[in-house]
Amino acid sequence: MEHGPGRRAHGPSGAGWEVSREVLVVGGGGPAAAIAAGLCGNVRLVAPDAHEVDDGFVDRAGPRGAGPTDGLDLVVHALYPEQSRIPKPIDEMTDGDWAAACDDPLEAGIRVARGAHRHLAARRGTIVFCVPLVGAAGAASFVALSALAEGLRVLARSLARSWGSDGIRAHAVTLHPSMFLAPEHAAAATEATALHDPALGRPPSASEVAAVIDTLAGDATAGLTGASVVMDGGAWMAG
Amino acid sequence: MSAPGPPSGAGDAVPLDGQVAVVTGAGQGVGAGIASALAGAGAAVVIATRRAANGEPAAESIRAAGREAAFVRCDVTQASDVEATVAVAVERFGGLDIMVHNAVAHAGRPGGVHLSGSHRIRPQIATGTTASFLCARASLPHLRRRPGTLILLTSPAGVEGSANLPVYATVKATQRGIVKSLAREWGPHGVRVNAIAPVARTPAMDAAVAANPDLETRLVARTPLGRLGDAAIDIGPVAVFLASDGARYITGQTIVADGGGFLGL
């Protein structure tokens, strides 16, 4: 599935980005579309099935005709299949349930990163993984989603370490579970995570998340990489 | 610097007397060290490895020390193998109290994620992440009866990431996510779930040091205790403690056993 590019020329705090800023959002089944709508630049949203993501996926999904000299300024990953967002105790999960909920999207995330490298290196860009807080905090009946989220959160740190010398920055933005789950599951996840109520009284909006991602990809944070920014309205506050 | 001997009196303690453990990847390295320590603490141990060539000798060395052990050929990526291994523990020794998943796939040549072998991604996920799920699912019915404990072997890299082993670090992080969520899910059953993040001499590390002689110097330099861990006497006792009644109120945690090199938790 593909959505047409959005074009917003302005950035946070008067960053003044040009519309030539190329952004790829890989995601579905969560806040990806809403976040993509709030990002600045020429934003392309793709929502593949996890099985469709191979090492050439970014080449095909990026700007048309993309090559090493075209590249990408920002890649945002938020690909969470439906199977990962449905609560299920581990003893009720089949092998296929686990693969669909965790292993397949985890491999897809790694392959998005592999394919993104040359495009990001060409523009000294940034990759951001949006992950649900269930991974860092733990949540009963969301074990597969927790494994997926923690894996991607630490993948961002590994990328930051190995790609810093290429001028590429990598971050994770850890979001309130309710942003990834259907309303009927969100309350269960919050309870299963034993989260406090958000200090701000609400989780962040997708546009607020987009603004933080834009900031993480901007010049004002050029000295920042490997960050794990928790955006949950002040519910967890544990790291 | 050589590793110190076991703590005084440790050889007489049998805090796991009468208990039954399964340890995957216990043919060598950290898994063998944990299996030896659990057996030394009184547990009957099932050595679950793919290869009889190292699994059977590991079991025999435990039996030679007067403890109970059995070898089971087990590919941890296959549900049927994991279930059969648990069944052997139950049938031969009467139940299952301690499930330790330690097996790990070869990570391949060090390098950035864009440089690592494409064919090595899924096997690492299967051996670390998928197998953690399989071990958990297969052991739960028996762990609930005791109640027992599940221990996953992770790594400091699963917290701080790794420039040269990014897929390995990712997989180790997934195991920390599993531990935290399973601790919440299984707590009401009285089943505890924890992780150990060791740094110890293993055949894999010895091979890496042989290929890169500076590696050991660099690792020791970042270790406050000034040496690499020994699998049997530095890591094994951590597993014994987590399985023992002394850890009855500890769940969802990662115990870093690396001589103080990683202090990020």
Side-chain angles (χ1 to χ4, degrees), chain A residues 102-116:
Chain A
C102 178
D103 297 348
D104 294 344
L106 181 68
E107 181 177 350
I110 293 169
R111 295 197 183 279
V112 165
R114 287 165 63 88

Side-chain angles (χ1 to χ4, degrees), chain A residues 55 89-90 93 95 103-104 107 111 114 117 136-139 141 143 146-147 150 154 157-159 161-163 192-193, chain B residues 79 113-114 116 118 121-122 125 129-130 133 137 157-163 169-170 173-174 177-178 180-181 184-185:
Chain A
D55 288 345
I90 201 167
M93 296 188 78
D95 296 3
D103 297 348
D104 294 344
E107 181 177 350
R111 295 197 183 279
R114 287 165 63 88
H117 175 264
S141 297
V143 178
S146 300
E150 275 301 86
V154 172
R157 294 175 181 171
S158 295
L159 300 181
R161 292 183 186 280
S162 59
W163 290 358
T193 312
Chain B
V113 72
H114 60 297
S116 59
S118 179
I121 295 173
R122 195 67 180 213
I125 293 173
T129 309
T130 318
F133 157 67
R137 188 181 62 182
V159 183
E160 63 181 350
S162 171
T170 298
T174 68
I178 291 170
K180 285 185 269 192
S181 288
R184 294 195 187 278
E185 188 167 310

Side-chain angles (χ1 to χ4, degrees), chain A residues 211-234:
Chain A
V212 167
I213 292 173
D214 273 339
T215 299
L216 289 172
D219 290 343
T221 56
L224 186 66
T225 193
S228 182
V229 179
V230 178
M231 287 191 74
D232 63 354

